[in-house]
Amino acid sequence: MSDIQTQFVKNVLSGAEQNLKDAGSAFAPSNIALSKYWGKRDAELNLPINSSLSVSLGNLGTQTEIRLAEKSSVYLNGELVDPADSFAVRTLEFLKLFPMVGTHFEVRTENNIPTAAGLASSASGFAALVMALNDLAGWALGPRMLSMLARLGSGSASRSLSHGFVQWHAGTADDGTDSFSERIDTEWSEFRIGILELSTARKAVGSRDGMNRTVETSALYKSWPAQADADFQVIRRAIEVKDFPMLGKTAERNALSMHATMMSAWPPLIYLQPESIEMIHKVQRLRDAGLELYLTIDAGPNIKLLFLESSVKEVLSEFPHLQIIKPFA
Ligand code: 2P0
């Protein structure tokens, strides 16, 4: 918590009236970026260097309930979290930005994201937290304002306020007021995501430290902002005209380019494991054989496959244990 963050929250809330309730609750979906966010231009306001675009994961995400209390406590999936645990610390630190609501909170969070699958829970976590807070405080803020509050908790959380495809505009203002997310008004019911769980090991370097290290030390990162912006535009267009190969190819190249910037950092950030590389080759082989299949990878070893409903049978025969998500169901 800093003065700059406190002032930012005041700005966002300046037009909102407060009508406090006994409790607030909300659900937010997790999301997977098709065009990635990697690198900050301002760490305090969590402003990204580049815009990013994601797809939300439907009913996979976080349900949060919040109420005022005598003493702060955080529950995760029904169990009280040790106050020294980083999850509780991050949650309660974030809530200190909202003294106009209260000083102590009881927060109950349920994640139905298979945490082992390497799906980010901080994205849906902070999004659900600000939505629940909005409900508790009765501010009646819309997704644009909420996305800016969620961003302070975690960048990718700003993309978890809406279902479907979401774009996070990087913005250019130093005060962070033009860096927000909004839903793209296109449904694509045939769109599928497959989660290939390859490793459940906790990553050695978290995203936050990883992206800072990349920005500071990777020579390849210099080419990233321009590519990220170009990919963002191409994917947005591909969604508009429902050009799946254009979307898939751009998303895959975007993810692998991000990994190239990570690998060229020092010390190197190698999130991929041998099984990840094996799967990348397998997807390429299947694509060469005519299957419309692409992939994306976040800051971890697990692979997310991208395909359409028409390919489900073939994809499942190649990846029998695949968990398939229908983002528009
Ligand atoms: C993304 N990732 O666009 C990228 C791709 C991981 C790889 O956003 O420091 O947890 O809290 O803003 O949002 C993960 O980073 O980082 C992430 P902070 P966050 O989904």
Side-chain angles (χ1 to χ4, degrees):
M1 193 183 61
S2 70
D3 292 347
I4 290 177
Q5 290 173 330
T6 308
Q7 189 53 49
F8 179 78
V9 170
K10 274 193 196 149
N11 288 348
V12 172
L13 293 178
S14 61
E17 229 180 89
Q18 185 160 301
N19 295 297
L20 206 59
K21 298 200 320 195
D22 286 344
S25 69
F27 171 83
S30 187
N31 75 77
I32 287 176
L34 299 172
S35 172
K36 308 292 186 189
Y37 148 53
W38 198 249
K40 298 175 202 283
R41 61 186 165 89
D42 183 310
E44 266 184 310
L45 291 173
N46 226 5
L47 300 174
I49 288 175
N50 60 278
S51 297
S52 58
L53 193 158
S54 59
V55 56
S56 291
L57 300 187
N59 58 10
L60 285 184
T62 304
Q63 174 76 38
T64 291
E65 219 186 275
I66 185 167
R67 60 183 72 238
L68 295 175
E70 297 279 297
K71 186 172 159 269
S72 289
S73 58
V74 179
Y75 292 79
L76 180 59
N77 297 332
E79 287 186 29
L80 182 65
V81 182
D82 182 337
D85 182 280
S86 65
F87 178 75
V89 172
R90 256 183 104 178
T91 303
L92 296 176
E93 270 302 304
F94 181 76
L95 289 172
K96 284 187 189 160
L97 290 169
F98 304 93
M100 65 297 277
V101 185
T103 37
H104 297 291
F105 299 90
E106 181 189 292
V107 181
R108 289 180 177 268
T109 282
E110 306 276 340
N111 277 333
N112 69 0
I113 317 157
T115 33
L119 295 173
S121 55
S122 69
S124 55
F126 279 106
L129 186 60
V130 297
M131 286 166 86
L133 199 61
N134 183 45
D135 188 30
L136 173 72
W139 296 320
L141 296 175
R144 176 176 172 149
M145 292 300 173
L146 292 175
S147 80
M148 292 200 280
L149 296 181
R151 189 193 76 219
L152 293 180
S154 193
S156 50
S158 76
R159 299 188 310 241
S160 270
L161 279 302
S162 311
H163 286 281
F165 295 112
V166 175
Q167 50 185 333
W168 174 14
H169 304 282
T172 53
D174 287 340
D175 69 0
T177 49
D178 62 352
S179 182
F180 66 93
S181 295
E182 63 179 341
R183 191 174 165 270
I184 295 173
D185 192 18
T186 301
E187 300 267 319
W188 197 340
S189 58
E190 299 84 8
F191 198 87
R192 297 288 178 273
I193 297 167
I195 309 292
L196 270 182
E197 185 191 324
L198 302 173
S199 165
T200 56
R202 222 184 143 82
K203 53 190 166 194
V205 183
S207 290
R208 188 159 292 193
D209 291 342
M211 66 177 89
N212 291 340
R213 187 191 295 179
T214 308
V215 174
E216 282 159 21
T217 68
S218 161
L220 291 191
Y221 189 80
K222 289 183 181 61
S223 67
W224 170 258
Q227 187 190 339
D229 281 338
D231 290 346
F232 173 88
Q233 301 294 351
V234 172
I235 292 177
R236 206 165 58 172
R237 174 86 187 129
I239 289 170
E240 221 175 273
V241 299
K242 296 206 173 149
D243 182 336
F244 186 69
M246 177 159 54
L247 180 150
K249 173 180 149 186
T250 311
E252 181 165 327
R253 193 168 53 191
N254 179 275
L256 292 174
S257 301
M258 176 184 71
H259 278 269
T261 72
M262 295 162 163
M263 284 184 214
S264 61
W266 196 264
L269 288 159
I270 305 182
Y271 290 108
L272 304 176
Q273 292 295 328
E275 310 83 55
S276 323
I277 303 286
E278 229 173 85
M279 289 302 148
I280 294 170
H281 285 291
K282 181 169 176 175
V283 167
Q284 278 183 16
R285 271 201 310 276
L286 291 167
R287 197 159 58 224
D288 288 347
L291 189 60
E292 267 194 0
L293 178 66
Y294 300 87
L295 60 84
T296 184
I297 321 170
D298 291 299
N302 298 304
I303 306 276
K304 288 105 183 190
L305 299 178
L306 307 171
F307 49 99
L308 294 175
E309 163 64 24
S310 51
S311 306
V312 164
K313 232 170 119 180
E314 274 178 277
V315 171
L316 269 180
S317 76
E318 293 291 339
F319 306 94
H321 302 296
L322 197 66
Q323 186 197 352
I324 298 182
I325 295 165
K326 300 178 180 176
F328 297 91

